Amino acid sequence: MKAVRCKDWGPIDSLVIEELPELVPGAGEVVVDVKAAGVNFPDVLTVQGKYQVRPELPFTPGNEFAGTVRAVGEGVTAFAPGQQVIGFTRTGAFAEQAVAPVEALMPMPPGMDFDIAAAITLTYGTSHHAVVDRAALQPGETMLVLGAAGGVGLAAIEIGKALGARVIAAASSEEKLAICRAHGADATINYEKEDLREALKAATNGRGPDVIYDPVGGPYSEPALRSIAWRGRHLVVGFAAGEIPKLPWNLMLLKGASVVGVFWGDFVRREPQANLKAMRQMLGWMAEGKLKPLVSARYKLEDTAQALNDMAARKVTGKVVICP
């Protein structure tokens, strides 16, 4: 089977395609024929050696996929060959076959497309964990979403609306903001053209947002935090802008505010049952039409490096997937 391989940390273009032996499941494992694999910003950082967790070299990147069960290992009774599943693993998704422990899989809902199924695990999982679990966003509260047209950003908008909140989307172009409005944003801010603090003041009648969803970092975090409402929660989701901001702690004191870390990957590892409960809630929202994942582009396995480069250059809206 073909797989993308990372043999050393560094440029994305150094990734190669190799023929590897077909996978064999161990006890408690399942081998899946991958039909689609989601691409995420952590994949970029992992290949570059900049992510919190470094796999042992060489490795196959990619951590979320959807496909058909090919074989099951000893002791596996929850899945059978031919069954359609959604999976999440640390690595291994950018390949024709992937292997995962049984607890990292869930059945695909009937009628769901493979590319949609591959696009929901990390982005919607991260945003649900952030917005519902870590921020405890309440109906009637206001949430600001930075980098709102990306995969986690659009997921946060939709989850915020499903909870009954008012959502302000901030992004870098009018095209991206139009996508945010199509996914439910109540108000939008172009932070390339507008002063973020002044725009937030106008959009909230001077009160500020109750929750800030921040997957961007860089120059946007501090002005957003300075605008936060009393008892607000600033969610630290990631640093797509590249720079980890150094925030003055007195801002949290003056606003009675909290800066809250969001690390969905470790949440899944430490609290798997809580994650499965969250996924079931989101699949229910999808069935009701409240969540509508956007897959904006599909790449062949051979074009994985291009997909990651587009992600690194912040050219991606919604999600993109690799289709082996």
Side-chain angles (χ1 to χ4, degrees), residues 147-189:
V152 292
L154 290 180
I157 291 171
E158 294 182 343
I159 290 168
K161 295 307 298 177
L163 293 170
R166 179 172 182 259
V167 179
I168 302 170
S172 60
S173 72
E174 293 305 319
E175 178 187 13
K176 290 180 178 180
L177 292 176
I179 293 171
C180 296
R181 287 190 290 269
H183 284 259
D186 299 288
T188 55
I189 297 171

Side-chain angles (χ1 to χ4, degrees), residues 270-291:
R270 295 171 182 269
E271 303 176 46
Q273 294 305 312
N275 177 61
L276 287 175
K277 181 180 178 182
M279 291 302 298
R280 284 193 291 268
Q281 181 178 42
M282 288 190 289
L283 290 174
W285 283 342
M286 285 184 190
E288 295 170 11
K290 294 180 178 178
L291 306 184

Side-chain angles (χ1 to χ4, degrees), residues 68 219 299:
T68 303
Y299 297 77

Side-chain angles (χ1 to χ4, degrees), residues 120-198:
I120 63 175
T121 312
L122 190 145
T123 49
Y124 281 85
T126 295
S127 293
H128 189 283
H129 174 50
V131 174
V132 178
D133 184 13
R134 303 295 284 141
L137 182 68
Q138 299 298 308
E141 287 191 316
T142 296
M143 177 170 65
L144 166 68
V145 180
L146 300 175
V152 292
L154 290 180
I157 291 171
E158 294 182 343
I159 290 168
K161 295 307 298 177
L163 293 170
R166 179 172 182 259
V167 179
I168 302 170
S172 60
S173 72
E174 293 305 319
E175 178 187 13
K176 290 180 178 180
L177 292 176
I179 293 171
C180 296
R181 287 190 290 269
H183 284 259
D186 299 288
T188 55
I189 297 171
N190 184 334
Y191 47 43
E192 289 293 322
K193 294 183 177 180
E194 302 176 67
D195 180 277
L196 184 57
R197 290 195 69 192
E198 290 301 316

